[in-house]
Amino acid sequence: MPKDAHTTAAYHHERAAKSHRAAAEQSHQGAHEACEGHALTACGHSTKADEASKLAHEKSAQRAKSAPTGTA
C-alpha cells in the first residue's frame, strides 16, 4: 500500500536526519571517529529513504491510475 511505503520512507528520512545531527554534534566536539560513524549510518538511512521514496511514488502513481476518475 502507498501509505506503508510513505511511512517507511519517512522513517528512514527521520533516522538519516537524526544521524546527520549526531554527526554534526560529534564533529563540533572534535570527535571525528564518532562523527564518521554517525555519517555512515546517515548515508545508509539516506539510501534506504531514497529507495523507499521511489517505491512510494510508484505505488501512489499506480493507485492514481487505477482509481475511478468520477461517476456519471
Side-chain angles (χ1 to χ4, degrees):
M1 301 220 32
K3 180 181 178 187
D4 294 337
H6 288 292
T7 300
T8 298
Y11 169 80
H12 286 294
H13 281 293
E14 291 163 356
R15 297 299 298 179
K18 182 178 180 181
S19 292
H20 280 298
R21 284 190 293 275
E25 182 62 29
Q26 293 299 317
S27 178
H28 179 70
Q29 294 178 6
H32 299 294
E33 279 188 37
C35 172
E36 184 178 349
H38 287 295
L40 184 61
T41 298
C43 287
H45 281 295
S46 291
T47 299
K48 290 177 183 178
D50 184 53
E51 293 168 356
S53 293
K54 289 175 184 174
L55 179 62
H57 177 258
E58 290 171 11
K59 288 184 175 188
S60 291
Q62 289 171 355
R63 184 165 248 184
K65 288 178 184 177
S66 67
T69 55
T71 57

